Amino acid sequence: MADLKIGDMAPDFTLPSTVGDKVTLSDYRGKKNVLLLFYPAAFSGVCSTENRQCGELTSANPSDDVEVLGISVDNLWSQRAFGEKLGVGYPLLADFHPKGDVAKKYGAYNEERGFANRTAFIVGKDGRIREIVASETPVARDIPKLLERARSA
C-alpha cells in the first residue's frame, strides 16, 4: 500500500474511460487541477449519491481549471451504465485489470473487501498532491467542498 502525502507527485496512470477511450493523469499536467474520486462500487447508495451530486454541480458550474475523474474497480461496462443512469458528464474510470492497480498506487485499495476505499485526491496542475480526503465506506464526502478546494488548488 502506498504511503502518499501532500506534496508528493501523484502516481501517473492510464485507465479505460466512459468519456473517450482512455484517460492518462499526466495529460492534465500544466493544464488543470484534478479531483480524483475513488469510490467503492458503482450503483451502491453512497457512491450513487456522491457521483450524482458531483455530476449536477460540474454541469451547473463548469470549470476550465478542474477535471473530475471518478475511479472504481468496476469494469468499464458497469461504469458506463452507472454514468448514464446518473447523467455524469465527467470520466468514470475502470480500475479493473489488474483489479485495483491504480487504487493500490494511491493507497486506496481495500484488499480485504476488494474495492477502492472512499478517498479523494486533489492534484494540482504541477502534478503534486494538494489534499487527501478519506472517508469511511458508508460516509459520503462533502462534494461541494471538494470541488471548491480543487478549484483553488
Side-chain angles (χ1 to χ4, degrees):
M1 186 179 260
D3 189 22
L4 296 174
K5 58 189 179 307
I6 293 171
D8 287 349
M9 284 300 291
D12 199 18
F13 61 81
T14 299
L15 287 173
S17 171
T18 58
V19 177
D21 184 33
K22 294 185 178 201
V23 167
T24 299
L25 179 62
S26 59
D27 287 349
Y28 296 101
R29 202 166 295 151
K31 301 172 189 167
K32 291 185 175 193
N33 297 327
V34 178
L35 174 57
L36 300 177
L37 291 175
F38 286 94
Y39 57 94
F43 298 103
S44 63
V46 175
C47 298
S48 295
T49 299
E50 283 187 336
N51 279 283
R52 181 180 292 112
Q53 182 182 36
C54 191
E56 289 169 355
L57 290 170
T58 55
S59 65
N61 187 16
S63 172
D64 291 336
D65 289 337
V66 176
E67 181 66 51
V68 175
L69 301 175
I71 306 174
S72 80
V73 300
D74 296 295
N75 63 46
L76 186 58
W77 300 279
S78 180
Q79 292 284 61
R80 280 192 179 128
F82 182 56
E84 287 172 12
K85 179 180 180 187
L86 299 178
V88 170
Y90 56 86
L92 298 179
L93 310 180
D95 188 13
F96 183 68
H97 186 70
K99 187 174 183 179
D101 190 49
V102 173
K104 289 173 187 172
K105 288 181 183 180
Y106 280 80
Y109 189 70
N110 186 321
E111 291 281 351
E112 184 178 306
R113 300 187 73 189
F115 59 62
N117 289 320
R118 194 175 308 286
T119 312
F121 292 83
I122 296 173
V123 179
K125 290 179 186 175
D126 61 358
R128 296 196 176 276
I129 296 170
R130 303 284 187 203
E131 192 164 344
I132 302 169
V133 178
S135 180
E136 294 296 322
T137 300
V139 179
R141 294 166 286 198
D142 186 337
I143 298 298
K145 192 174 196 177
L146 283 171
L147 287 168
E148 179 184 318
R149 288 178 175 171
R151 288 183 175 113
S152 64

